[in-house]
Amino acid sequence: MVLLINVDEKNQIMHTNVWPTMKWYDYQMQWDPRSYGGIKTIRVPPEKVWLPDIVLFNNADGNYLVSFYSNVVVENTGEMLWVPPAIYVSSCTIDVEYFPFDAQTCQMMFGSWTFKPDEVVMNYLDGKRLVELNDYSPSGIWDIMDVPGKLTEDRSKIIYSIHIRRKTLFYTVILIMPTVMMAFLSMMVFYLPAEASEKITLAISILLALVVFLLLVSKVTVVIINVYFRGPTTHIMQPWVRHVFLKTLPLMLAMKRPDQDWDRRRSSVEGSERRKMWKKTVKRDTVSGSMQSTGSNGAVDAKRIPTIREHHPFCPNSGESDRKAETRTSKDVGKAPGC
């Protein structure tokens, strides 16, 4: 195996660059080196000799042939060696439940397309059950953990299981950390006072940052849907989720969970205080003789009518009225003062 080109989670296919190494014996290709000037090894075009029709059975693009038909190395003992380079597109079942901390297992099944199990018998090359990774170029996204092989169907097919694990550093730095930081910034918007002009600016900036990350978030739509549609009827909240989001984070954000009994007590106290304030207001208005009138702008004006009693110079009650203060209500405005 030379290179793991790509693992497409959406289409569930894997692109690999491999060098399938096939070795077999052909009794018709034997000779005595002494009769041919000591030549022990020759290279023959592939169309001049017999080739095993070994193909990839779980092919995903319909191209079962190799990319380049290289020469066949022939030994004087009849040993044939053929190493054609190939780029395979194989089907692979991808499970993204634990993305981006996931590990996948993809299989590649090789076998003869036309020969029967008793006509072509497969075996491990040089007794090695594992795939050689000497010429492998590391991938930037996946790490290859192990590639064991297994012979099946009376040694007529061989299956290689490629165990790969995703590199989490890329997704942690590019996706997880910025998303968590923007989530905390979005909560900080509610801590700013309403009259602060920076509140709207911060909210718009966070919205623009979320739009930028839509391209990255679109790759994990399956994970988002899996988390969003979880409910008490389908899933059970894990203990660590309850501890982190209901106990640890509220303490870090200086938040307190509301109590239902405390809410009822608070509502009853506030209701009693409002009733007391209303009674005090009614009593004060009655004593002070204030009246409310609506002005042209819809505002309510409170005007106190002065306690004055008008008398003519010869009124006998003028002196007594001066000693007694009386408050006139709105009903007495149009009446003439009596003597």
Side-chain angles (χ1 to χ4, degrees):
M1 190 170 182
V2 180
L3 180 63
L4 178 61
I5 301 176
N6 183 30
V7 177
D8 192 348
E9 296 91 346
K10 181 179 179 181
N11 298 319
Q12 307 222 348
I13 57 177
M14 179 180 63
H15 296 253
T16 53
N17 184 3
V18 300
W19 294 348
T21 304
M22 290 171 276
K23 184 185 292 187
W24 69 96
Y25 288 90
D26 192 343
Y27 70 95
Q28 297 180 353
M29 301 299 294
Q30 297 178 359
W31 72 88
D32 188 1
R34 294 174 296 180
S35 301
Y36 296 93
I39 298 176
K40 297 182 179 181
T41 304
I42 61 174
R43 289 161 179 82
V44 183
E47 62 270 9
K48 300 294 183 179
V49 295
W50 178 86
L51 297 176
D53 55 348
I54 304 298
V55 297
L56 178 65
F57 275 80
N58 59 332
N59 194 287
D61 64 347
N63 185 13
Y64 295 91
L65 303 177
V66 295
S67 302
F68 174 71
Y69 280 80
S70 60
N71 293 331
V72 181
V73 180
V74 184
E75 300 289 340
N76 65 317
T77 58
E79 183 181 281
M80 316 286 288
L81 178 63
W82 187 40
V83 188
I87 296 179
Y88 289 120
V89 181
S90 59
S91 59
C92 178
T93 303
I94 306 296
D95 185 10
V96 295
E97 181 178 359
Y98 300 103
F99 176 89
F101 308 97
D102 57 335
Q104 309 295 335
T105 300
C106 298
Q107 295 182 346
M108 300 180 69
M109 180 186 295
F110 295 93
S112 176
W113 189 256
T114 58
F115 291 97
K116 297 180 180 179
D118 56 347
E119 296 176 342
V120 173
V121 178
M122 303 185 67
N123 201 349
Y124 300 115
L125 181 64
D126 299 332
K128 297 179 180 179
R129 186 172 177 266
L130 302 176
V131 173
E132 292 185 358
L133 301 175
N134 298 329
D135 299 323
Y136 175 74
S137 299
S139 174
I141 302 178
W142 299 93
D143 287 330
I144 293 183
M145 309 305 298
D146 193 12
V147 190
K150 180 181 179 182
L151 292 171
T152 59
E153 300 183 13
D154 297 333
R155 305 172 71 89
S156 64
K157 291 183 177 61
I158 184 170
I159 299 176
Y160 288 101
S161 300
I162 304 175
H163 301 279
I164 56 178
R165 183 177 62 187
R166 194 188 303 271
K167 294 182 178 180
T168 59
L169 181 60
F170 172 78
Y171 293 93
T172 302
V173 175
I174 301 300
L175 180 63
I176 298 178
M177 292 182 60
T179 304
V180 172
M181 292 177 63
M182 286 188 296
F184 278 102
L185 287 177
S186 62
M187 290 187 294
M188 293 301 297
V189 175
F190 298 97
Y191 282 90
L192 295 177
E195 62 272 8
S197 59
E198 293 81 5
K199 185 173 185 177
I200 299 177
T201 305
L202 180 59
I204 295 175
S205 301
I206 296 174
L207 180 61
L208 293 177
L210 290 174
V211 172
V212 173
F213 279 90
L214 283 179
L215 294 177
L216 294 176
V217 175
S218 62
K219 295 183 179 181
V220 289
T221 306
V222 178
V223 181
I224 296 175
I225 294 176
N226 186 16
V227 175
Y228 180 78
F229 286 100
R230 290 191 177 189
T233 59
T234 58
H235 294 79
I236 299 176
M237 182 181 294
Q238 298 295 331
W240 67 270
V241 177
R242 184 184 301 274
H243 179 75
V244 171
F245 290 95
L246 298 182
K247 294 182 179 180
T248 305
L249 285 181
L251 293 177
M252 296 175 60
L253 299 176
M255 299 174 62
K256 184 178 180 181
R257 294 179 58 187
D259 188 6
Q260 295 182 358
D261 297 334
W262 183 81
D263 290 340
R264 285 195 291 266
R265 291 195 301 269
R266 179 180 178 182
S267 60
S268 61
V269 170
E270 291 180 352
S272 60
E273 290 180 354
R274 285 195 296 268
R275 288 192 296 270
K276 291 180 181 178
M277 292 296 295
W278 181 78
K279 291 180 179 178
K280 291 180 180 179
T281 304
V282 172
K283 184 177 180 180
R284 183 173 61 253
D285 293 344
T286 304
V287 173
S288 61
S290 62
M291 74 171 184
Q292 295 181 351
S293 61
T294 303
S296 58
N297 57 353
V300 178
D301 300 327
K303 297 181 180 180
R304 181 177 176 178
I305 301 175
T307 57
I308 299 176
R309 221 167 173 32
E310 298 180 1
H311 300 276
H312 54 83
F314 302 99
C315 182
N317 297 328
S318 58
E320 183 181 359
S321 299
D322 294 338
R323 291 188 303 268
K324 294 181 181 180
E326 180 179 79
T327 302
R328 300 176 60 190
T329 62
S330 59
K331 296 181 180 180
D332 302 330
V333 173
K335 298 181 180 180
C339 294

